[in-house]
Amino acid sequence: MTRKFPPVLRLWNRRWRWIPGQLQLALLAAYAAGFAIAHWMAAAWGGAGFYSVWYPAAGLRLALLWYAGAGLTPFVALAEIMVDIAKGIFSFRTPDWPIVLFGIVRPVFAYGATVGAIRWLVSGSRATILISPMPFGLAAVAAPNVAALSALPEALVCPDMTRVQSVHEVITSLSAFAVGDLLGVLILAPPLLWMAELLTRRRPGMRIGTKMRWPDLAESSILLLGGIAITDALRRVGLGAQPMPVIFAVAWIGLRFGRAAAWVALAIVTLLMLPQTAQDMTTAARLQLHLGLATVVVVGYLAGSFADAQRQARIDVERRDRMLFQAERLKTLRAMSVAVIHEISQPLSTLAIEARHLRSITGISDPEIAESAALIDRKAATLSNLVRRLRRYGGRAVDEPTPLPVSVLIESVAALAAPEAKSEGVTLKVDPVDPDLVVLAQEVELAQAVVNLLRNAIQGAGDAQVRLAAVRKDNRVQIIVSNRHGADMPPNGGMGVGTLVARAIVEAHGGTLSRDIFAHGDVQATISLPVVGELA
């Protein structure tokens, strides 16, 4: 059955790429309302310092930036400014409004910079070590800490702005900042992103982790409840809130069943803790409890993310093995086909010559005989050309690098990818290629690399359109495969075995393969190869 993609999810207006479209405005409006509510909720976990040790607004912020891209950062900052103005927290009439304004936008840009940096890492050559969903786990842990560190200069220069006086209070306040953001991000952002993916995909919901059966559920429940009971018992005998039993439980659940199960366990632990810390207590006592909770949450979520990444890696290895087995079968088939082609090429050539002779001597005969002879001549010539092409494709010469016109390569790979694009409901647009562009390459291998990139683009095309182009830049040829990704595509989507094979082929040809995700939603894979005669 042909799978149709949802209508285009335009992350940025195509003509005015830095002006939000309707989808972005709707997201920003929803974010502003959610931010106001979350900011109000955080007040119950505040203290003598400026920051709350439970800040769910941070989870909303990271979810939106991860979903829509770091390019939306200025508009997220503007939305937070408008909320603070509406709530009376910020006013341009106060003499110190520039400092207050900087304090509002600073964490937003810290989050945006972190998201942008991690997406850059995912799109580069180091993407192989950032298997999904580890990039988001890294962003969820790094962004709160980057934001807290960015507040250090302000806390030291203007301590009155954050309601702290001494160095001890500065450290306590910034620790509360990092802990509150960590808890808000790891508890709120994952379910928001999962729901966004479910709402924007027509296929069944994404599979998160492994499917839990009743024995697995019982195992997880016993471990979690046991860890909570041990921690509570230690607290009752005067040893304080020791998080280690709960850490062991959630780490085990995450490693066994993935981040979905880990997140459920973490949500239960957090919901049990928050009512206790919302009561009147000193900032130090509240911070100590939330530091332990943050440790539990970080360990549990990263353990689940690592398990899911390992599971994805095993899937990729299995796919690679299947590709290797298929390659061996194709090698055998190639040898058989070469033998068959060799056997039929000579009689077919003779048949073509005789058909041409028959056509020449029947020109003055009966028209029906002449027409039949002409038809035989055309069919024999077509078969003869086909056999010559197969012989060239399967022969030994194809293994050696030869000057290859890029226009011929683009034409062949477009023909190979067109049926798959059609079955997926995707339009494949091929730009005109300069016929003078020539590279030194093994045609079959390089074609396989481009086809792999096209397949990734077809699978991830959010607007059902993929573009294939080739241009010259300085002394190199760039083969570009681009598409606009759907909202359900992870930041490192498309970096599986197919792309790894393509990168290996391209690098063996002395080229490079890069993949970029732009703020306006375009995903672009670029193969860069030396022009013939200008090899390094």
Side-chain angles (χ1 to χ4, degrees):
M1 182 176 66
T2 300
R3 174 166 56 86
K4 301 293 184 181
F5 283 88
V8 55
L9 298 173
R10 298 184 182 273
L11 295 181
W12 293 98
N13 183 280
R14 280 189 181 276
R15 187 175 179 183
W16 305 101
R17 291 187 169 183
W18 294 104
I19 299 178
Q22 294 181 354
L23 174 62
Q24 293 72 46
L25 291 176
L27 288 174
L28 288 169
Y31 174 75
F35 179 82
I37 296 172
H39 191 80
W40 169 76
M41 292 172 56
W45 289 271
F50 183 72
Y51 305 111
S52 171
V53 292
W54 161 244
Y55 194 63
L60 290 174
R61 181 190 298 150
L62 184 65
L64 178 59
L65 292 174
W66 192 261
Y67 175 82
L72 202 64
T73 301
F75 303 102
V76 174
L78 181 60
E80 295 194 14
I81 292 171
M82 294 175 64
V83 170
D84 287 343
I85 292 175
K87 297 178 67 174
I89 300 175
F90 171 70
S91 175
F92 287 102
R93 298 178 180 178
T94 58
D96 56 353
W97 70 263
I99 299 177
V100 178
L101 180 64
F102 177 74
I104 294 173
V105 302
R106 183 199 63 249
V108 181
F109 280 92
Y111 273 61
T114 304
V115 170
I118 290 176
R119 284 193 166 181
W120 175 79
L121 287 173
V122 170
S123 65
S125 59
R126 286 161 293 213
T128 53
I129 65 172
L130 292 174
I131 302 174
S132 179
M134 286 304 294
F136 174 75
L138 179 60
V141 175
N145 288 283
V146 171
L149 288 175
S150 69
L152 181 59
E154 180 184 359
L156 294 176
V157 176
C158 304
D160 55 311
M161 296 297 300
T162 53
R163 305 172 194 169
V164 294
Q165 299 298 327
S166 64
V167 175
H168 177 269
E169 290 181 348
V170 168
I171 296 174
T172 301
S173 179
L174 294 182
S175 299
F177 186 161
V179 169
D181 277 27
L182 269 173
L183 293 176
V185 165
L186 289 174
I187 296 301
L188 203 59
L192 289 176
L193 291 172
W194 294 337
M195 286 189 291
E197 180 172 355
L198 292 175
L199 291 175
T200 54
R201 294 176 67 159
R202 290 188 177 182
R203 70 183 87 176
M206 64 178 276
R207 295 177 62 185
I208 308 167
T210 58
K211 185 177 180 180
M212 294 186 67
R213 299 167 296 179
W214 284 109
D216 301 329
L217 183 61
E219 173 188 332
S220 301
S221 301
I222 292 172
L223 278 173
L224 181 61
L225 294 177
I228 294 173
I230 294 173
T231 298
D232 185 65
L234 293 175
R235 181 185 63 83
R236 290 178 181 275
V237 298
L239 295 179
Q242 301 296 328
M244 186 54 65
V246 181
I247 290 176
F248 174 79
V250 298
W252 180 271
I253 293 171
L255 292 173
R256 283 270 287 141
F257 308 111
R259 59 201 164 113
W263 181 86
V264 172
L266 296 174
I268 292 173
V269 174
T270 303
L271 291 175
L272 291 174
M273 174 69 74
L274 290 180
Q276 301 179 30
T277 55
Q279 301 172 6
D280 291 334
M281 61 175 57
T282 64
T283 301
R286 181 182 286 116
L287 179 58
Q288 182 180 8
L289 291 174
H290 277 239
L291 277 171
L293 179 60
T295 305
V296 172
V297 171
V298 170
V299 170
Y301 192 82
L302 289 183
S305 297
F306 177 78
D308 284 353
Q310 290 293 99
R311 192 171 295 109
Q312 184 61 48
R314 287 195 295 271
I315 293 173
D316 289 343
V317 169
E318 291 173 359
R319 288 178 54 199
R320 182 201 64 185
D321 291 342
R322 289 196 298 269
M323 291 176 66
L324 291 175
F325 294 151
Q326 184 181 17
E328 290 298 322
R329 294 178 61 185
L330 289 175
K331 187 182 296 185
T332 303
L333 181 61
R334 170 181 159 182
M336 295 173 60
S337 65
V338 169
V340 173
I341 291 170
H342 178 74
E343 293 297 327
I344 67 174
S345 59
Q346 184 174 355
L348 186 58
S349 298
T350 303
L351 178 60
I353 294 172
E354 293 299 328
R356 192 176 304 111
H357 176 66
L358 177 62
R359 179 181 182 183
S360 64
I361 65 177
T362 56
I364 57 176
S365 303
D366 183 84
E368 185 175 352
I369 296 177
E371 183 179 353
S372 297
L375 177 62
I376 294 172
D377 181 29
R378 290 196 303 271
K379 296 298 183 182
T382 300
L383 288 174
S384 182
N385 290 333
L386 176 62
V387 168
R388 279 197 297 271
R389 290 175 61 188
L390 290 174
R391 192 172 186 175
R392 182 179 67 85
Y393 186 85
R396 291 291 179 185
V398 76
D399 291 332
E400 299 300 326
T402 56
L404 172 65
V406 179
S407 57
V408 174
L409 174 69
I410 296 297
E411 181 181 355
S412 63
V413 298
L416 289 171
E420 182 173 349
K422 183 178 180 181
S423 67
E424 297 287 348
V426 174
T427 301
L428 178 60
K429 290 191 174 183
V430 182
D431 291 356
V433 180
D434 185 352
D436 295 332
L437 292 179
V438 179
V439 297
L440 187 65
Q442 295 170 317
E443 181 179 356
V444 177
E445 290 189 3
L446 190 56
Q448 181 64 60
V450 181
V451 167
N452 287 356
L453 299 180
L454 281 172
R455 286 173 175 166
N456 287 343
I458 290 169
Q459 293 296 325
D463 60 354
Q465 182 173 299
V466 172
R467 175 173 164 262
L468 176 62
V471 296
R472 177 166 181 160
K473 186 174 181 181
D474 299 329
N475 63 336
R476 301 182 76 83
V477 175
Q478 290 188 342
I479 302 172
I480 302 170
V481 178
S482 60
N483 66 285
R484 175 156 297 208
H485 72 71
D488 59 334
M489 180 181 174
N492 65 324
M495 297 305 293
V497 173
T499 306
L500 298 179
V501 171
R503 175 171 283 120
I505 293 173
V506 172
E507 291 177 352
H509 282 77
T512 59
L513 171 60
S514 61
R515 184 172 178 272
D516 300 297
I517 304 176
F518 298 101
H520 49 272
D522 284 350
V523 180
Q524 179 175 297
T526 304
I527 294 176
S528 179
L529 295 168
V531 177
V532 165
E534 302 184 31
L535 297 174

